[in-house]
Amino acid sequence: MDLKFTAEEEAFRSEVLDFLRERLPQRIAETVRNGQHLTREDMAAWHAILNERGWLANHWPKEYGGPGWSAVQKFIFENECAIAGAPRIVPFGVNMLGPVLIKYGNEAQKRHWLPRILDGSDWWCQGYSEPGAGSDLASVRTSAVRKTDASGDHYVVNGQKTWTTLGHYANMIFCLVRTASDVRKQEGISFLLIDMNTPGIEVRPIITLDGEHEVNEVFFTDVRVPVENLVGEENKGWTYAKYLLTYERTNIAGVGFSVAALARLKRAAQHVTRNGKPLAQDPQFAARVAKVEIDLENMKTTNLRVIAAVAGGGVPGAESSMLKIRGTEIRQEISSLLRRAMGPYAAPFVEEALHEGYEGEAVGPDEAASAAALYFNNRKLSIFGGSNEIQKNIISKMILGL
Ligand SMILES: Cc1cc2nc3c(=O)[nH]c(=O)nc-3n(C[C@H](O)[C@H](O)[C@H](O)COP(=O)(O)OP(=O)(O)OC[C@H]3O[C@@H](n4cnc5c(N)ncnc54)[C@H](O)[C@@H]3O)c2cc1C
């Protein structure tokens, strides 16, 4: 196992850095670095820049528009992007649905939907979770009943999805729906693509702890969906759903995001003072920063170890769960330390500080205004993509054999 990058990989890193210097809009990078929210237009603009270069769908095979990168190249690209302050690629179309269509979609679906993901014609959202079906996802109850009438074959969908991230921006949603209930629950699920503009769909906002509108509830009442929008076979959706989840957890460790956040924390600890000295010189605070840095270095090595195993023909199994747990714990710890570093200045909850152009009265260090909101927002990391407790269950089954 060789964990060092080769000369070619280092050359690739330089190419990525040049690209980021030339093409990443500084205004957007600044917004990301300040932990502020991006607009729909900002996210779409970054997608378009990556797509123009052919680097948007870096998990896709070349024949569908991917760049044909190795696992190591993807790792380098994603980390350098995060460190430079590039927005994360909105994952629902590119990283989740795309791989499912490539593996399980029919030719017509691939020809129609994949180019539209790349050029941004469609904004997808993920309709998996329901009230009562989160960790226990196979319990989904939203029903799809197949009907035939004069205008053709279609499904009629009724039910509710929840926690639908950026559903208010989306024109398409991929859903797990129940098409059979007299079988084992995993065997009665289908994977359906639904146009959000179909009559009978209602999107309602959920406002999170940080005051933001990021997630939604989506209600379906007698929604008509053409049968052509079924992916793969009816009642085989659980297989496709699980395949998608392995992609959702890929790179969820977010090493680059932690590296960037740690650098911000260290900068803050230099200019924030306690008892007349920089906070970085406070032994207790410095020890916590050192611990999280060591954890991050360990995680980087584990991440590279997994990549080396994949490059050698292996498959990431429970390791992606390990990376998910450690990666999200580290990101949460860094945001917690930043909040602590701000001391009493983090106490006023300034929701507006999460938006670009905030020019509120400066109280305390620059990082103070967004510290609390960022801390709250990062609580989600250990819940979505399969909660950390569920990842521990996976590890205990797959690694410890319990
Ligand atoms: C910000 C955010 C964005 C999200 N975006 C989306 C999205 O776009 N699309 C989508 O479909 N879903 C999305 N989700 C939903 C997410 O996948 C679920 O919240 C998650 O799977 C947990 O499900 P739940 O909320 O129903 O909690 P529950 O499943 O009710 O779990 C509650 C608690 O019990 C624990 N628990 C449950 N079962 C077990 C068990 N067997 N062993 C040990 N502990 C257990 C959990 O870890 C958790 O701590 C999002 C969630 C959040 C917070």
Side-chain angles (χ1 to χ4, degrees), residues 312-325:
V315 219
E319 289 87 350
S320 66
S321 296
M322 263 161 60
L323 289 171
K324 201 256 159 171
I325 296 169

Side-chain angles (χ1 to χ4, degrees), residues 27-321:
R27 182 189 60 77
I28 292 183
E30 193 62 18
T31 307
V32 172
R33 269 194 229 106
N34 290 337
Q36 292 170 317
H37 288 284
L38 295 166
T39 63
R40 186 192 198 283
E41 289 68 35
D42 289 336
M43 294 185 239
W46 181 235
H47 274 224
I49 291 168
L50 288 176
N51 187 41
E52 194 189 316
R53 179 67 181 248
W55 285 1
L56 176 62
N58 64 59
H59 295 281
W60 295 11
K62 250 185 162 165
E63 59 176 307
Y64 296 112
W69 287 343
S70 66
V72 176
Q73 285 176 305
K74 284 178 219 161
F75 175 84
I76 291 174
F77 174 74
E78 274 156 20
N79 284 302
E80 293 305 338
C81 281
I83 293 166
R88 91 181 172 133
I89 295 172
V90 179
F92 307 109
V94 176
N95 294 342
M96 296 188 191
L97 181 63
V100 169
L101 287 179
I102 289 168
K103 189 161 166 80
Y104 297 107
N106 60 35
E107 274 316 305
Q109 288 170 336
K110 289 182 206 178
R111 263 200 318 275
H112 181 73
W113 298 112
L114 294 177
R116 294 174 62 87
I117 292 176
L118 290 179
D119 69 16
S121 303
D122 293 321
W123 186 299
W124 286 90
C125 62
Q126 180 185 25
Y128 270 29
S129 306
E130 295 179 7
S135 303
D136 183 16
L137 187 57
S139 291
V140 288
R141 282 182 304 175
T142 295
S143 66
V145 179
R146 193 164 172 156
K147 298 236 162 102
T148 306
D149 62 20
S151 60
D153 270 4
H154 59 273
Y155 288 98
V156 177
V157 177
N158 280 287
Q160 182 196 345
K161 295 291 171 184
T162 192
W163 302 118
T164 320
T165 301
L166 303 185
H168 51 305
Y169 292 164
N171 66 313
M172 292 297 299
I173 181 168
F174 54 85
C175 282
L176 295 183
V177 290
R178 183 145 303 282
T179 36
S181 43
D182 51 353
V183 288
R184 208 168 69 93
K185 57 187 181 182
Q186 288 81 355
E187 288 162 9
I189 294 172
S190 298
F191 195 105
L192 212 51
L193 312 178
I194 305 179
D195 185 334
M196 297 282 280
N197 295 314
T198 319
I201 297 185
E202 189 192 346
V203 180
R204 291 187 205 157
I206 299 174
I207 303 302
T208 44
L209 264 179
D210 56 356
E212 285 302 310
H213 179 194
E214 190 177 338
V215 284
N216 302 273
E217 297 176 289
V218 183
F219 294 85
F220 300 84
T221 309
D222 293 332
V223 174
R224 200 186 152 103
V225 182
V227 284
E228 295 79 53
N229 286 17
L230 175 75
V231 175
E233 287 177 51
E234 200 174 88
N235 296 327
K236 293 275 161 55
W238 187 243
T239 304
Y240 320 144
K242 283 191 300 182
Y243 179 72
L244 181 147
L245 284 174
T246 62
Y247 273 87
E248 185 170 356
R249 286 174 201 143
T250 305
N251 278 313
I252 208 156
V255 170
F257 292 110
S258 288
V259 171
L262 184 64
R264 185 165 186 248
L265 172 66
K266 284 179 157 183
R267 274 196 305 275
Q270 289 299 341
H271 66 76
V272 173
T273 52
R274 289 277 191 284
N275 303 323
K277 282 191 188 157
L279 186 58
Q281 290 175 22
D282 175 284
Q284 281 189 356
F285 192 82
R288 283 188 70 173
V289 174
K291 179 170 183 322
V292 80
E293 189 162 11
I294 292 166
D295 286 345
L296 179 55
E297 283 304 314
N298 284 339
M299 192 185 60
K300 264 192 218 166
T301 310
T302 308
N303 209 349
L304 286 170
R305 196 159 53 81
V306 172
I307 288 170
V310 173
V315 219
E319 289 87 350
S320 66
S321 296

